[in-house]
């Protein structure tokens, strides 16, 4: 028990409220980070099937043919 103002309360509810508050604050931040990554990703054309999609993080699977498209260090697109 911890003294909180004029009364005593248990620690568990306070810790639980803190964890929930942190989760509520972290969730919108994570959503914004993912949205910014998707907005900044470049649009590429799959060398295998010709489908246009966003290349996130230098490597991503094509949504149509499911082959992995990767941007190499010299700028070429390869599918594997």
């Amino acid at each position: 028990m911890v003294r909180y103002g004029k009364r005593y309360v248990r620690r568990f509810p306070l810790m639980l409220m803190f964890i929930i508050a942190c989760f509520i604050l972290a969730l919108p931040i994570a959503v914004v980070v993912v949205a910014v990554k998707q907005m900044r990703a470049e649009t590429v054309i799959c060398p295998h099937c010709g489908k246009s999609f966003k290349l996130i993080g230098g490597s991503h699977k094509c949504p149509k043919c499911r082959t992995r498209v990767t941007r190499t260090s010299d700028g070429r697109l390869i599918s594997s």
Side-chain angles (χ1 to χ4, degrees):
M1 292 241 185
V2 175
R3 186 173 176 146
Y4 187 72
K6 292 184 178 182
R7 57 193 174 103
Y8 287 94
V9 293
R10 294 186 179 141
R11 286 186 186 196
F12 182 72
L14 292 176
M15 291 188 315
L16 187 62
M17 286 189 298
F18 177 74
I19 291 170
I20 291 171
C22 288
F23 181 74
I24 290 172
L25 291 175
L27 190 62
I29 294 170
V31 168
V32 168
V33 167
V34 169
V36 167
K37 273 188 172 184
Q38 289 181 351
M39 285 185 346
R40 295 188 59 170
E42 63 176 318
T43 303
V44 297
I45 298 172
C46 177
H48 190 348
C49 68
K51 171 85 172 154
S52 176
F53 64 97
K54 296 268 190 176
L55 188 67
I56 300 171
S59 179
H60 200 70
K61 284 189 176 180
C62 174
K64 183 178 179 184
C65 64
R66 306 306 292 170
T67 59
R68 179 156 302 277
V69 178
T70 306
R71 174 148 327 263
T72 61
S73 60
D74 59 351
R76 293 182 298 125
L77 287 176
I78 58 170
S79 61
S80 55

